[in-house]
Amino acid sequence: MARTINTVTVVGAGYMGGGIAQSLALADLQVEIVDVDAEAARKGLARLLIEAQEFEDQGLYAAGSTERIKANLTAGRTLEEAVAQADFIEEAVFESPEVKREVLGKISAHARPDAIIGTNTSTIPVHVLVSAVKHPERFLTVHFSNPAPFIPGVELVSGEATTPDVVDAVKELLARAGREGAEVADTPGMVLNRLQYALLKEAASVVEEGIATAEDVDTVVRTTFGFRLGFFGPFAIADQAGLDVYGLGFNTLAESYGERLAAPELLKHNVDAGRHGLKNGKGWTGDFDDETKAELIAYRNKAYARMGELVRELGPAPKGKK
């Protein structure tokens, strides 16, 4: 039987927890925030309403959004009171296993046995935290990204005991809030930070080796493949460029940098199987007939043109002083 989440408690009224609470309240869910004490939660609520009005004034939220959030978001009770009848509790406290385990223990001791409990960790595996939770079948990672009001992707990580209906209920909740949930395995760093940290590590190596400055690396990323990443993931981008072209590129990199930048086996397998991407209609992400290829190219060109317009409209991002 499908489960529906209507009431939410967010534990942690700071920047991440507050942003999550604000986003869910804007989606007409009944949301309550709690913090170290009732006064801290009330201060968090006041800040969120001021922030929401600022977003509305800037055109980032639709007219009337602040009143909607105000009608759906509350604060002022203890953790024990706030979680007692909630359908879903999202823990969003400091990124420390010890702190999270303590808070999750309190949540599960006072929540309904069937209430879903999520943790907003960005790197800590479920199996490190799950022993703090009673009824582990209702526990999973629900990882929003910063800033939560505007980033649509959410990582979902199940533990060994997490049941499918729990994941489905959270996915449905996220869809109502205009978010997309992606299921990933229970490993340190999950997918987002494993990829993000790998990029930063390679970028730092480029600077350390004197190949480019940090500023020029940032320029390359934001004006080339970063420009594309708002619309396509790395597999879809590779399909468009040509998997065989990527294979040859990896050969060149491997000659200079060794196994670290050698072609991945998945890529070699696809190329050996004659899957070269959009160019021959057989890609990593699926098969493309002529009509689908034309539609994809038209979408891509429109997306990149509109992205260019947005970048020109906003102008350069403010930079820190050196």
Side-chain angles (χ1 to χ4, degrees):
M1 183 177 176
R3 302 175 63 172
T4 301
I5 296 169
N6 294 310
T7 55
V8 178
T9 295
V10 178
V11 180
Y15 193 68
M16 279 306 302
I20 294 167
Q22 189 184 86
S23 303
L24 297 179
L26 187 56
D28 282 330
L29 287 130
Q30 295 300 306
V31 183
E32 184 168 0
I33 53 172
V34 298
D35 209 283
V36 290
D37 56 43
E39 182 59 25
R42 282 191 286 265
K43 286 181 178 178
L45 174 59
R47 175 183 59 81
L48 289 171
L49 294 177
I50 292 171
E51 184 182 79
Q53 187 62 62
E54 290 173 349
F55 291 158
E56 192 174 330
D57 293 343
Q58 294 163 14
L60 306 180
Y61 277 172
S65 293
T66 305
E67 285 303 312
R68 175 176 291 182
I69 292 169
K70 188 175 182 180
N72 293 325
L73 186 58
T74 60
R77 295 198 296 173
T78 65
L79 180 150
E80 292 81 1
E81 293 169 328
V83 305
Q85 294 302 320
D87 297 327
F88 173 58
I89 302 105
E90 173 79 335
E91 168 270 306
V93 300
F94 185 67
E95 186 75 354
S96 158
E98 293 75 23
V99 174
K100 286 185 177 292
R101 285 175 57 83
E102 179 182 356
V103 173
L104 288 167
K106 290 180 180 178
I107 291 170
S108 66
H110 296 279
R112 300 191 327 248
D114 65 329
I116 298 171
I117 300 175
T119 174
N120 191 57
T121 178
S122 59
T123 57
I124 305 168
V126 170
H127 64 258
V128 172
L129 302 174
V130 68
S131 61
V133 179
K134 297 178 181 178
H135 309 293
E137 68 278 0
R138 42 82 174 266
F139 179 60
L140 75 168
T141 293
V142 185
H143 175 216
F144 289 78
S145 287
N146 176 29
F150 305 115
I151 303 295
V154 180
E155 286 184 302
L156 301 177
V157 186
S158 295
E160 291 185 0
T162 312
T163 54
D165 64 311
V166 165
V167 178
D168 290 344
V170 173
K171 279 188 172 182
E172 194 272 336
L173 165 73
L174 294 173
R176 277 186 278 156
R179 304 296 188 268
E180 289 188 64
E183 293 185 66
V184 305
D186 187 28
T187 56
M190 299 172 280
V191 172
L192 168 58
N193 277 325
R194 185 168 170 181
L195 294 177
Q196 191 165 248
Y197 283 26
L199 173 58
L200 179 59
K201 187 175 188 299
E202 197 64 31
S205 295
V206 166
V207 175
E208 289 165 359
E209 293 166 19
I211 296 169
T213 65
E215 183 177 20
D216 284 336
V217 170
D218 276 352
T219 296
V220 169
V221 172
R222 67 178 174 77
T223 61
T224 59
F225 68 87
F227 202 83
R228 306 179 186 122
L229 287 172
F231 307 97
F232 303 103
F235 297 113
I237 291 172
D239 272 347
Q240 293 170 47
L243 302 186
D244 55 334
V245 175
Y246 264 63
L248 294 171
F250 270 111
N251 290 341
T252 299
L253 293 175
E255 288 175 6
S256 296
Y257 302 108
E259 189 63 28
R260 177 169 64 89
L261 287 178
E265 290 300 319
L266 274 175
L267 176 64
K268 291 192 286 187
H269 174 76
N270 274 284
V271 173
D272 290 346
R275 305 191 72 83
H276 293 175
L278 222 58
K279 61 172 65 179
N280 72 347
K282 297 182 183 299
W284 210 324
T285 58
D287 294 340
F288 301 87
D289 57 24
D290 289 343
E291 182 180 356
T292 304
K293 282 196 282 186
E295 290 175 350
L296 177 57
I297 291 169
Y299 173 88
R300 179 196 67 190
N301 293 344
K302 181 178 181 180
Y304 294 168
R306 293 287 293 277
M307 177 67 90
E309 292 173 4
L310 177 61
V311 170
R312 288 188 291 272
E313 176 191 334
L314 293 176
K319 295 181 179 180
K321 296 180 181 178
K322 294 185 178 180

